[in-house]
């Protein structure tokens, strides 16, 4: 289980997270919603060790992961799909996957399992990743993170700018991961995507969780969406 | 000249490409390689080739170790800030230069070639050792290319070069990569020095020319571009050699600098560099 306990974090003198607490259990999809600047991406970056905490702690299965150097978080089993994909653009699809496999993956078996989830990538293994379509790039970003065999997967706005068929594919993937016991923390702005994937939804405002509700109890026109996301 | 310059410049280009550090002390790593060559060949008993082989192994390792130490003690503490590291490597340049002056002395000292061979061609004779230098430099450059494009280490280095935070998010220890790349860059300069020192001499001020020419080469070739560095090294190395022989070494440097100025004006990213 990933647990964030009263974390404060920010950039220089600007504090972004203010006592944020959350938990994501194995096999759960926890969606995090909030307006721009609410602290969603900073929270993910804090989990990855890319932003230092000034208070609170982050644990994975009871072991502290905050305070570790940034390259240690993935070794503990945390996979990250950053906003904007951040692929290694000049590298091929196969090389991007290889980077994912280096740290924790189980070699060919992991790669095979990932390529079964995204068969289109198998056809493009030798292609330079910067030349893929937006949807294929997102597939690759998720596939690369899955090559880490993560216990926890952090997805930052994975459906941004994608066509409906690609969003459906991402939904299928998240559902498949849920069945394997991976805890998914999904930062998302699309209400329909959230409602179709989430078990629980955390609404973040001013760097803290303002409301945490079960997704089953939310309708598309729920007041929380208007209040915390503005849609 | 071109082959040795290519080796030195590839080291500089590699450090800039991966770490975004402009290493002003790069010429001093070249000088340390030459000085180390003198020490090893002076102390090594037996025929000159034995001392040369020992130097070729030991000098780059020793210089790489000095560079890795400098990375840990200086560059890492500056968080590899591009501006601060320029100032820091200028300081490192003087530290290494003065350390060599103190330990090695002000004299230029010869290092024997591993073998004496003159190839007599129909129209002129040529030093067999110089051809060996070209072949050896070519082999080292091929090894660097294979490491960068075909090995896991190269993959990790390229990932770090492209996107440092994302590389970290995939478990790559960027500090370790940086230390390795800085050591590798210095090691390449040291190999170049070991190869060239039997033709020149080891001297504590010998780092200036290779540094200037390496900068010229990487600017013309495109900072961080290995292919561009090789082409530019060939261009500058050959023209420097020909102009120095038939006219004057100073004229060769003036023309090379003029060429750099033209490249900076008309193609600032270099001949093979990507546009910013």
């Amino acid at each position: 289980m990933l647990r964030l306990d009263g974390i404060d974090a920010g950039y220089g003198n600007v504090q972004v997270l203010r006592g944020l607490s959350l938990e994501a259990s194995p096999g759960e999809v926890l969606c995090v919603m909030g307006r721009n600047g609410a602290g969603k991406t900073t929270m993910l970056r804090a989990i990855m060790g890319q932003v230092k905490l000034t208070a609170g702690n982050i644990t994975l299965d009871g072991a502290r992961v905050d305070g570790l150097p940034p390259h240690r978080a993935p070794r503990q089993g945390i996979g990250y799909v950053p906003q904007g994909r951040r692929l290694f653009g000049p590298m091929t699809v196969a090389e991007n996957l290889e980077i994912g496999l280096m740290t924790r993956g189980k070699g060919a078996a992991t790669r095979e399992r990932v390529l079964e989830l995204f068969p289109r990538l198998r056809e493009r293994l030798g292609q330079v990743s910067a030349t893929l379509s937006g949807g294929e790039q997102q597939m690759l970003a998720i596939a690369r993170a899955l090559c880490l065999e993560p216990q926890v997967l952090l997805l930052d706005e994975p459906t941004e700018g994608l066509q409906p068929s690609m969003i459906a594919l991402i939904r299928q993937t998240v559902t498949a991961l849920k069945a394997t016991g991976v805890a998914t923390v999904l930062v998302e702005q699309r209400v329909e995507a959230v409602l179709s994937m989430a078990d629980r939804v955390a609404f973040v405002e001013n760097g803290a969780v303002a409301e945490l509700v079960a997704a089953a109890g939310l309708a598309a026109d729920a007041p929380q969406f208007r209040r915390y996301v503005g849609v | 000249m071109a082959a040795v310059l290519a080796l030195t410049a590839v080291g500089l280009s590699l450090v800039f490409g991966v770490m975004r550090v402009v290493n002003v002390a790069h010429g001093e790593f070249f000088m340390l390689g030459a000085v180390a060559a003198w020490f090893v060949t002076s102390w090594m008993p037996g025929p000159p080739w034995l001392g040369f082989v020992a130097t070729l192994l030991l000098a780059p390792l020793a210089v790489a170790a000095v560079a890795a130490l400098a990375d840990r003690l200086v560059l890492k503490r500056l968080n590899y800030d591009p501006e601060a590291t320029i100032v820091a490597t200028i300081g490192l340049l003087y530290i290494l230069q003065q350390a060599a002056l103190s330990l090695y002395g002000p004299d230029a000292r010869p290092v024997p070639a591993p073998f004496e061979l003159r190839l007599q061609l129909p129209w002129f004779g040529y030093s067999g050792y110089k051809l060996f230098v070209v072949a050896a430099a070519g082999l080292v450059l091929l090894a660097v290319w294979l490491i960068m494009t075909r090995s896991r280490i190269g993959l990790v280095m390229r990932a770090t070069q492209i996107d440092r935070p994302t590389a970290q998010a995939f478990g790559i220890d960027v500090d370790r990569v940086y230390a390795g790349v800085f050591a590798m860059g210095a090691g390449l300069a040291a190999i170049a020095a070991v190869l060239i020192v039997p033709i020149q001499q080891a001297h504590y001020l010998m780092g200036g020319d290779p540094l200037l020419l390496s900068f010229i080469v990487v600017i013309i070739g495109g900072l961080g571009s290995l292919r561009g560095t090789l082409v530019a090294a060939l261009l500058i190395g050959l023209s420097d050699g020909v102009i120095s022989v038939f006219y004057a070494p100073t004229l060769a440097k003036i023309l090379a600098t003029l060429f750099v100025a033209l490249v900076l004006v008309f193609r600032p990213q270099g001949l093979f560099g990507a546009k910013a």
Side-chain angles (χ1 to χ4, degrees):
Chain A
M1 175 188 282
L2 177 75
R3 182 196 290 262
L4 284 65
D5 194 4
I7 63 170
D8 288 1
Y11 306 94
N13 293 327
V14 181
Q15 188 176 351
V16 180
L17 302 181
R18 296 177 173 86
L20 186 142
S21 297
L22 266 183
E23 283 177 10
S25 305
E28 181 187 27
V29 179
L30 172 70
C31 279
V32 180
M33 298 189 86
R35 292 175 195 274
N36 288 342
K40 306 179 298 291
T41 297
T42 304
M43 177 193 76
L44 298 185
R45 295 192 65 209
I47 296 169
M48 293 306 296
Q50 294 179 355
V51 176
K52 294 256 179 289
L53 302 190
T54 50
N57 59 68
I58 300 171
T59 56
L60 180 63
D61 292 337
R64 292 279 292 265
V65 291
D66 61 280
L68 296 175
H71 67 275
R72 292 286 298 279
R75 293 183 187 178
Q76 310 302 311
I78 306 175
Y80 182 35
V81 180
Q83 192 174 17
R85 297 143 201 161
R86 303 289 288 265
L87 295 175
F88 299 113
M91 291 188 185
T92 63
V93 170
E95 286 174 328
N96 269 276
L97 295 178
E98 182 64 28
I99 292 283
L101 287 167
M102 278 180 188
T103 303
R104 264 174 64 96
K106 296 176 180 67
T110 303
R111 183 178 135 125
E112 208 43 44
R113 200 163 48 247
V114 168
L115 289 174
E116 275 167 22
L117 279 172
F118 302 105
R120 200 181 293 184
L121 293 180
R122 195 190 293 278
E123 301 160 16
R124 308 236 187 295
L125 284 172
Q127 189 171 334
V128 171
S129 59
T131 64
L132 297 172
S133 70
E136 288 166 345
Q137 288 192 10
Q138 191 63 62
M139 276 187 219
L140 178 57
I142 297 173
R144 184 180 60 174
L146 293 181
C147 282
L148 284 166
E149 297 267 4
Q151 283 175 259
V152 177
L153 181 64
L154 312 178
L155 295 164
D156 198 350
E157 304 210 19
T159 67
E160 191 182 25
L162 297 187
Q163 61 191 40
S165 62
M166 284 296 168
I167 296 174
L169 183 64
I170 289 170
R171 187 164 49 233
Q172 276 174 26
T173 308
V174 170
T175 309
L177 289 175
K178 193 174 146 87
T180 62
V182 173
T184 305
V185 179
L186 172 64
V187 168
E188 187 52 77
Q189 296 285 53
R190 287 172 189 260
V191 172
E192 64 279 15
V194 169
L195 292 177
S196 64
M197 287 188 266
D199 294 309
R200 291 187 301 153
V201 182
F203 293 97
V204 175
E205 192 175 50
N206 294 324
V209 175
E211 216 172 314
L212 182 62
V213 294
L218 284 171
D221 59 352
Q224 288 95 333
F225 292 124
R226 257 194 319 279
R227 179 170 173 197
Y228 299 112
V229 192
V231 291
Chain B
M1 172 69 183
V4 169
L5 178 57
L7 267 185
T8 316
V10 160
L12 186 71
S13 180
L14 204 60
V15 168
F16 178 80
V18 177
M19 303 169 68
R20 299 285 141 188
V21 167
V22 177
N23 180 18
V24 184
H26 193 64
E28 303 319 302
F29 291 129
F30 179 94
M31 176 273 291
L32 281 186
V35 168
W38 181 83
F39 275 113
V40 175
T41 50
S42 305
W43 290 341
M44 190 83 181
W49 66 264
L50 192 62
F52 181 80
V53 170
T55 300
L56 208 48
L57 295 173
L58 294 177
L61 284 178
V63 173
V66 171
L69 191 68
D71 172 81
R72 281 292 144 114
L73 295 180
V74 183
L75 304 182
K76 190 182 170 190
R77 284 162 194 254
L78 297 171
N79 200 26
Y80 303 99
D81 176 79
E83 285 91 24
T85 50
I86 291 177
V87 179
T89 54
I90 291 172
L92 188 61
L93 179 157
Y94 286 112
I95 291 170
L96 294 176
Q97 208 172 73
Q98 294 308 306
L101 175 63
S102 305
L103 299 171
Y104 172 78
D107 303 326
R109 302 178 200 196
V111 172
F115 57 87
E116 297 291 339
L117 176 69
R118 187 156 182 86
L119 296 174
Q120 199 52 55
L121 301 170
W123 54 97
F124 67 92
Y126 201 75
S127 157
Y129 179 71
K130 285 184 179 173
L131 291 177
F132 165 77
V133 169
V134 173
L139 278 177
V140 176
L141 289 170
L142 180 67
V144 171
W145 181 76
L146 287 173
I147 287 170
M148 290 304 288
T149 57
R150 300 276 190 275
S151 74
R152 274 184 112 177
I153 296 171
L155 192 64
V156 164
M157 280 158 60
R158 282 186 289 141
T160 307
Q161 174 175 5
I162 295 164
D163 188 337
R164 175 181 168 168
T166 305
Q168 285 177 317
F170 284 88
I172 294 173
D173 185 348
V174 165
D175 287 345
R176 221 178 195 181
V177 174
Y178 282 1
V181 167
F182 201 63
M184 189 173 162
L188 285 170
I191 292 174
V194 171
L195 289 174
I196 202 78
V197 77
I199 300 168
Q200 302 180 348
Q201 293 194 69
H203 185 249
Y204 83 103
L205 287 176
M206 71 187 296
D209 266 8
L211 179 71
L212 173 68
L213 288 172
S214 295
F215 271 123
I216 287 173
V217 162
V218 294
I219 290 168
I220 291 172
L223 277 167
S225 161
L226 284 186
R227 191 168 52 129
T229 303
L230 290 180
V231 173
L234 231 93
L235 203 69
I236 293 298
L238 288 176
S239 64
D240 190 90
V242 171
I243 296 168
S244 296
V245 168
F246 290 104
Y247 298 97
T250 312
L251 179 67
K253 303 285 183 298
I254 290 171
L255 289 177
T257 312
L258 191 66
F259 189 29
V260 168
L262 289 174
V263 168
L264 284 174
V265 170
F266 294 107
R267 201 175 158 81
Q269 74 273 27
L271 298 180
F272 292 86
K275 265 190 178 168

